[in-house]
Amino acid sequence: MSRIGIFICHCGENISGTVDCGRVAGECGNIPGVTHSVDYKYMCSDPGQTIIKEAIRENRLDGVVIGSCSPRMHEKTFRKACADAGLNPFLCEMANLREHCSWVHEKSDATTDKAISLIRILVEKVKRNQPLQPIRVPMTKRALVIGGGIAGIQASLDIANAGHPVILVEREPSIGGHMAQLSETFPTLDCSQCILTPRMVEVAQHPNITLYTYSELESLEGFVGNFKARIRKKARGIDESLCTGCGLCTTKCPTKKIPSEFNTGLGQRPGIFVPFPQAVPNIPVIDQENCRYHLKGKCGLCAKICPTGAIRFDQEDEIIEAEIGAVVVATGFDVLKTDFFPEYGYGRYPDVITGLQFERLASASGPTMGEIRRPSDGKIAESVVFVACAGSRDAAKGKPYCSKICCMYTAKHAMLYKHKVHHGQAHVFYMDIRAGGKMYDEFVRRAIEEDHVNYLRGRVSKIYEEDGQLVVKGADTLLDHRPVEIKADLVVLATAGVANNGAEELAQKLHVSYDAYNFFAEAHPKLMPVETNTAGIFLAGACQSPKDIPESVSQASGAAGKVSALFGQRKELERDPMVAVVNRTAPPLFSTCMGCFLCESACPYHAIEKEEIRGRNGDLIKTVAKVNEGLCQGCGTCVALCKSKSIDLMGYSNQQMYAEIKAL
Amino acid sequence: MKGVSPISFMAEHPTHSVETPAQKIFDHTGESLSRCYQCGKCTAGCPMSEEMDITPSRMMRMLQYDDPAMEEEALRSYSVWLCLTCGTCLARCPQEIDIPGVMDFLRTESLRKGMMNPSAKNIVSFQKSFIDSLRLTGMLYEVGLVAGYKARTWKLFQDMSLVPWLFLKGKLNLLPHRVKDRKTVKKIFRETVK
Amino acid sequence: MSRTGYYPGCSLKGTAREYEESLLAVAEKAGRPLAEIADWNCCGATAAHGTSHELAIALPARVLAQAITGGMEELLVPCSGCYNRLMVTRHELSRDPALRDKISKMIGADLKTPVRILNVLEWLETILAPGTEDPDHVADQDPGQDPPRGDIPVRDDVPTQGDALKPDHDSGHSDAGDHDPDPVRELITHPFNHKVACYYGCFLTRPVDVLKPDSAEYPMAMDQLMERAGATPVDWEFKVECCGAAFAVSRTTTIARLSGLILENAVRRGAEAIIVACPLCHANMDLRRDAIQKERNREIDLPVLYLPQAIGLAMGIEPRQLGLHRHRVPVTFSLNPRNGAPDQKPEPRTAKQPA
């Protein structure tokens, strides 16, 4: 006869609000095999855990069922408590009385009855639980950081400085990300490049960091501590070992008028180019889509001029394979293309630009050398209208969420404009000013009070051109909801921050969850903000949601801390033993497995191997399936498919499942 | 804002048995005014907002209050009659609130309660004459409409210069067309216009 | 072969009779005669939905029922105002079965049979479908003028007007197309070689999720038709702004202000004519020209043409047959046949003060 203990948690009022916890504990005490049953306000608290531990010792319990929240939340807590009291942790099970019962039902007797049923079925399971031992697997202590913006840079440096090797993969020809494009940064107005480029150089020179730019993750397989990454290093057309970065090729290239990605289309670049002078690495890339040699088979001017003979037109993509222990995803964000707003005329009027384009205009290294000249005719803009929430907080055509950074960068833009064009007029249409952050609101007030930026509360309905100027039709909701028309030389739309293109595809490659807007999902919004639901994969920066620089850097350091903590463990990693096992029996059968290997074709993790059973003389008796414990994720697909019922899942055996169903 | 009651506003979840303005609008049009976050884009794009006494976004704000005085002010406004139902506001509203639909409802309420704004006399008269013409013939009879409108407004000489010209150009029919199926037209009016 | 019914609406029998005249002339010339549906009634216009929601549904519903009774699969509704009311009505009836049953009972007719409602753009598109060899030739001519697309999020699977404009929809109107790969070349004998401002107004574009225009803010469907007729559509700003609509009689000051802004922008962008598809827009910009000139304090002699009038001219139809003499602002275009004498300069348009 079993000796099982039941522990019912009130979860404050989360469970006891609709479930009569006292009655659950009382009635569950009568289930055959149960010798102890109690309820308590917070079972996960220290006193709560003490109750469990003492009960195990005093009643010599051989199984525990805890009726509380989701196992996602506290399975580790309770299993550890059991282990502390000398009970094999896998003899402890949790019934989810909160998400599965109290939160989804009204207060009633039926709700309490359901809670009792949930406990009863787990009692039947626990009676059949086997003591299990965690599986130990080796761990590769090397991190992969995807994305070389400020978040990826920070994460790489932190991990590398903790003494672990890092591979940093960046899709573009240079690291630096969006921060390299920014003019000055709020709320201190530091020059963005001045604070960023030293970090970029540090990455390039760090002995623990291997940098692959112009490269993308091709695939990632395996599991925490044992990932295998394949990285596609796209053909740069340059022998990197020979290139000195002299830049001669970029000045001689006859194809010069390609819109510069780095300058957001406001400037031009040649067919062989370095995105910006401070690029890391300072090695050009041949843009095959525009290169004359690649298009027409003739030219090759760069090859002729290169003093070291580094040009390689026939270079091919290279696949690099690496063993990885943990991954930090820091792929950043993009800005919403404003064709969502035909009423704002973006694309039809060259002088309607995005905030990111304004950064390039205001940047000292930008296409106008920092002068606020409008794109259409190069005239200094005498009047600028900034439109906040262009695409954010707009469920109809844009994104329903607040992009968080726009209020601050718009204030910064208006301020920079006033600093550059003293007599100019700056107007900001806004809905709310969200300036929560250290010195943030003070910064916005400064724009209004000291730089006399005209803030109007209202949204813009239409922008159109008349006599070489843009007419902005807005409203002032603080002035009796009056319609307002302002003539401007330049209109800057604070377009919503959106997930980077390719985010969805990358999330699927990594097996991490993502939200409706393709931002990567953290494991817990409050308590696990840098973890994903996949062990060993962490998040940093704006790929999780729009973020400013300080936040991205903090999160990157957080993710790096998690990676370092993981690598700081012993050599081996412990895993839950909930894996599939192919049965073994006495000779002459050895196993009921018939060797059909249907399981092998079905296993999503490639965890099924072949094992040859041989007699004493070495003759092959039969070939049977064998599960690689390191790779198996315990999904159970093979169990369902096995024709001879030779595979079972540890901790979730068919026998246990049937017992649960019968107990209902 | 006179006589604003304490924070009992923000309708949608009525605490009294009497329906709040927002609740009434929700019941009749399916539009939830609590969605309006007062960005003012409707007012900014409305072709009539510069002529209105209460611009669209302000109207939405007033109707968010659980205040009968505010509701009456809305129903007595000139704006409900100045709305052209051109739909620009709805096309651009980030929250997709059917403001023309709400305005339609306010017009019918204003008519029902006899709260039409005195400045809107012409517009209301024109609408009434139009409906009369329809009730009578099932069609718009332009001569009858204009005659009825002029009789209502005493604007006998307005536009009179256009009439001979229209007649000469063959644009006016002196006798009305009529729908043959008079019974159905009558039934429609009997059942829909209270 | 599907049957296309025709619902003129009240205006086309009165102040907008030149709209009907030109439409019928184009239909005849294209070999696609129109069958007027029997004993129709007024759609109720703006006045009905300002009076009673159900009245505003019941009146157009009866028109739809008349088309169904007449065995029509398609219904051409040239007046934008009527088109708008019929589309909104069909939308409301389809999303509210209880309302449909109630109205069905009220008017004593079936409302369940689907009828495709065509506006004048969609109908003309079936006539001026581009040749099959090069369906994109319109876009190819001037890609620079293409407005940003993709502004309307797709809300459900109802086809957009743009889709309906594609030549291959099975309306059975492909007879002309079967014999001649390029009906445009065959029909457009006198290219309308003038700069035009295509004006869509409210009723062809809004509500966006019911009417599904090719763009809510910068539609191109009419521009493409006029381009096929040989015209050069100008890039202008007031394509979908409101002209003042139903205030034609009751509030002329508003008409003068709103229509004046529209006309002025068209003039500013070099248009020689403004093309419309709505009797109200026409009345406001043509009949009310005196008031507009007074309000803008300038002379504006820009003529206002119904779309079938402009297309009709390009098809070589006599101006009188198209009712051009009924306009307040005179229209004096002289178009040359495509394959006639070597390029003559069109005679300058004589600008006359309205009588």
Side-chain angles (χ1 to χ4, degrees), chain B residues 29 39 43 49 65 69 75 79-80 85 92 125 149 152 158:
Chain B
T29 68
C39 72
T43 298
S49 55
Y65 276 82
L75 293 179
S79 293
V80 295
T85 56
R92 295 180 187 156
S125 299
Y149 170 64
R152 274 205 167 87
Q158 185 213 342

Side-chain angles (χ1 to χ4, degrees), chain A residues 341 343-344 392-397 430-432 457-462 473-475 477 480-485, chain B residues 35 37-47 49-50 53 55-59 61 88 91-96:
Chain A
F341 291 97
E343 64 263 44
Y344 291 169
S392 306
R393 303 175 68 197
D394 185 332
K397 284 188 237 169
Y430 72 100
M431 292 208 296
D432 299 292
R457 197 202 170 277
R459 220 170 184 152
V460 170
S461 175
K462 180 168 174 154
K473 284 184 68 165
T477 60
D480 213 11
H481 292 253
R482 201 176 289 181
V484 177
E485 255 184 38
Chain B
R35 287 173 55 77
Y37 54 40
Q38 290 289 295
C39 72
K41 200 173 181 182
C42 46
T43 298
C46 176
S49 55
E50 65 185 71
D53 51 351
T55 53
S57 51
R58 195 168 158 224
M59 183 80 80
R61 182 70 192 123
T88 306
R92 295 180 187 156
C93 176
Q95 295 289 81
E96 296 177 282

Side-chain angles (χ1 to χ4, degrees), chain A residues 154-166:
Chain A
Q154 183 70 37
S156 299
L157 288 173
D158 284 0
I159 299 168
N161 287 337
H164 306 293
V166 174

